[in-house]
C-alpha cells in the first residue's frame, strides 16, 4: 500500500471517542451535545455505551447491573464485561467505524481497568490479555476523562434514585477506580483529555468542545498528503 493510500484509509475510518469517569461525572449529560456538535460539522455519529450497545450486550448489562446479583464472582464479572464488549464491537462499533462514522462510547475498556482492576483488585495483566483477545489492536482515538472527587460524583448519581450494583459500592472503591483512571491518563497523555468534571455544567461543556476541536485539528494534520506524490489522499 502506498503511503498516500495508507493516509487515505486512516482518514476514511471513523474516529473512536470514549467517555470515562466515575459515577455522576457527567458522561451521559455531555454525550448528546457532543454528538450534536459533531453532526453540525457534517460528521456521521453513532452514540453507544458499555456495558451494552447491542442487543445481546444489553442483556449482559442487565445481569451486571442488577443489585440482585450482589456477590457475583469477580472473574465472572470481568468475563461478562468482555463478553458484552465482543458483541458490541462486532455488531456496533466496528461496522460503524468501517463505514466512516464517528463513534461516541459512554465507557469502554478503561472502565474495566478502573473498576475490575482498581476497584475489585484484579490483576491488570489479565485484563490486558482479554483486551488483546477481544479487541486486537483497536483502541480509542481519544478518551475524555471526566474527573472529580468520588464523594461529589456519588452525591450526584445517588440523587437520581435506586442504586445499581456498582453504585452501591463504598467511597473507598471509587477512590481506587479514580486512581487507576488518573494513572492511565498520566501514562498515555496523547490519548486522554482530562476534564475537570467538578466545574459548572457550562464550563465542562466548553472543555469537551475544546478537546474535540483539538482532535479534529490533529486529524486534519494527519490527512495532509505527506507522500510527496501530490496524489490526493
Ligand atoms: N463498568 C465496569 O465495572 N466495567 C466496565 O468495563 C464497564 C462498566 C464498561 C455502568 O453503569 C456501570 O458499569 C458503571 C461501571 C461499570 N458503574 N456504575 N454505576 P451506568 O452506565 O449506569 O453508570 P455510569 O456510566 O456511571 O453513569 P452515571 O452514574 O449516570 O454517570 P455519568 O453519566 O457520568 O453522570 P450523568 O448522568 O451525566 O450525571 C449525573 C447527575 O449529575 C445528573 O443529574 C446531572 O445532571 C448531574 N451533573 C452532571 N454534570 C454536572 C455538573 N458539572 N454540575 C452539576 N451537576 C452535574
Amino acid at each position: 500500500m502506498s503511503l498516500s493510500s495508507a493516509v487515505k484509509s486512516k482518514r476514511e475510518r471513523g474516529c473512536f471517542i470514549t467517555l470515562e469517569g466515575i459515577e455522576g461525572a457527567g458522561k451521559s449529560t455531555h454525550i448528546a451535545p457532543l454528538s450534536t456538535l459533531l453532526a453540525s460539522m457534517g460528521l456521521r455519529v453513532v452514540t453507544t455505551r458499555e456495558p451494552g450497545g447491542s442487543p445481546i450486550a444489553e442483556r449482559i448489562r442487565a445481569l451486571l447491573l442488577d443489585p440482585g446479583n450482589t456477590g457475583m464472582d469477580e472473574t465472572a464479572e470481568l468475563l461478562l464485561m468482555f463478553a458484552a464488549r465482543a458483541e458490541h464491537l462486532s455488531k456496533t462499533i466496528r461496522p460503524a467505524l468501517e463505514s466512516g462514522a464517528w463513534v461516541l462510547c459512554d465507557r469502554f475498556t478503561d472502565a474495566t481497568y478502573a473498576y475490575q482492576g482498581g476497584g475489585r483488585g484484579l490483576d491488570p495483566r489479565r485484563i490486558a490479555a482479554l483486551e488483546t483477545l477481544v479487541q486486537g489492536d483497536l483502541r480509542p482515538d481519544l478518551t475524555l476523562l471526566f474527573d472529580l472527587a468520588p464523594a461529589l460524583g456519588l452525591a450526584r448519581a445517588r440523587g437520581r434514585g435506586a442504586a445499581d450494583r456498582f453504585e452501591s459500592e463504598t467511597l473507598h472503591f471509587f477512590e481506587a477506580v479514580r486512581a487507576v483512571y488518573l494513572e492511565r491518563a498520566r501514562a498515555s497523555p496523547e490519548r486522554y483529555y482530562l476534564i475537570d468534571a467538578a466545574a459548572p455544567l457550562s464550563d465542562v461543556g466548553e472543555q469537551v468542545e475544546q478537546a474535540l476541536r483539538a482532535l479534529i485539528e490533529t486529524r486534519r494534520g494527519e490527512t495532509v498528503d505527506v507522500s510527496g506524490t501530490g496524489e490526493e489522499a
Side-chain angles (χ1 to χ4, degrees), residues 22-29 50-51 61 65 81 85 106-108 111-112 115-116 156-157 160 164 166-167 197 199-201 204:
I22 60 158
E23 328 318 297
K27 303 174 300 297
S28 320
T29 303
E50 287 214 345
R61 175 187 174 92
L65 298 194
M81 288 294 174
R85 185 161 298 136
D106 189 343
R107 296 190 181 282
F108 193 61
T112 314
Y115 283 78
Q116 282 63 54
R156 284 183 189 167
R160 285 180 312 206
D164 66 32
F166 289 94
E167 286 165 353
L201 266 180
V204 176

